[in-house]
Amino acid sequence: MLNIEQYENGMGLVYKFGERFDGELSAREGINIYALHAKEHDGKVLLTMERGPRKEYRHMIKKIILTVKDGSYAIIADVEDTSKGTKMPIPDGYTVPSIWEKEPENMYWFALYNLERIKIEPGTYTSVTGKDLLQSIAGNAYMVYVPL
């Protein structure tokens, strides 16, 4: 049973980026594309992903962190809304960076605003499993949940 009280301030979903397009786009560049898109679109950007967050956490996600494996380059953003595909309309002004070319038709999406560049240091966040966030993303895990 999930102890909701320990997440009273909500939860952050940390998404670790890797290289894309056969190494032609680094993880850092991929994250930067979202930051630049938001800068050019009134601070708004739509993050889409094929695999969504765990069902029991979806309604608690208040922030998204996009990071490289070692936390040295990351952005944190507030979540205005989230859904899958066309179950709910995407809020006005939110679009996907054109490089990704995938519209959120059958994907999970997050309407992000208030993006801020951060650096994740050891001890900054602890995952819901009790491990330090940097330890959690050092391996194959690419989606980690942290209490806020």
Side-chain angles (χ1 to χ4, degrees):
M1 180 88 182
L2 185 65
N3 181 0
I4 300 293
E5 280 125 29
Q6 74 184 38
Y7 306 117
E8 65 185 44
N9 294 325
M11 186 168 293
L13 173 61
V14 181
Y15 191 72
K16 177 180 74 178
F17 266 58
E19 292 181 344
R20 301 283 200 275
F21 307 117
D22 296 323
E24 291 183 30
L25 183 71
S26 72
R28 182 181 174 130
E29 290 167 327
I31 293 167
N32 201 35
I33 286 171
Y34 282 95
L36 291 172
H37 184 89
K39 189 175 182 178
E40 295 297 319
H41 294 87
D42 296 322
K44 300 176 180 181
V45 65
L46 195 69
L47 171 67
T48 57
M49 55 182 69
E50 291 182 17
R51 182 172 168 234
R54 290 174 47 180
K55 186 177 180 181
E56 65 267 32
Y57 296 145
R58 285 182 197 150
H59 68 285
M60 293 186 276
I61 297 172
K62 305 290 184 218
K63 295 199 181 270
I64 297 280
I65 298 173
L66 306 178
T67 185
V68 298
K69 188 174 186 172
D70 67 0
S72 64
Y73 191 86
I75 57 175
I76 189 168
D78 293 316
V79 175
E80 179 173 327
D81 213 346
T82 184
S83 187
K84 182 179 182 187
T86 57
K87 288 182 182 179
M88 290 179 35
I90 295 168
D92 288 340
Y94 288 91
T95 55
V96 178
S98 61
I99 189 171
W100 303 125
E101 298 177 1
K102 287 188 177 181
E103 288 303 316
E105 192 171 299
N106 291 313
M107 300 181 79
Y108 288 89
W109 56 261
F110 295 89
L112 305 180
Y113 69 99
N114 195 26
L115 278 74
E116 178 184 344
R117 171 106 160 69
I118 62 170
K119 181 178 181 181
I120 301 169
E121 301 285 349
T124 307
Y125 295 99
T126 303
S127 74
V128 295
T129 63
K131 289 172 90 177
D132 183 79
L133 173 60
L134 293 177
Q135 289 177 331
S136 294
I137 63 173
N140 292 331
Y142 68 91
M143 196 182 299
V144 177
Y145 305 89
V146 295
L148 297 175

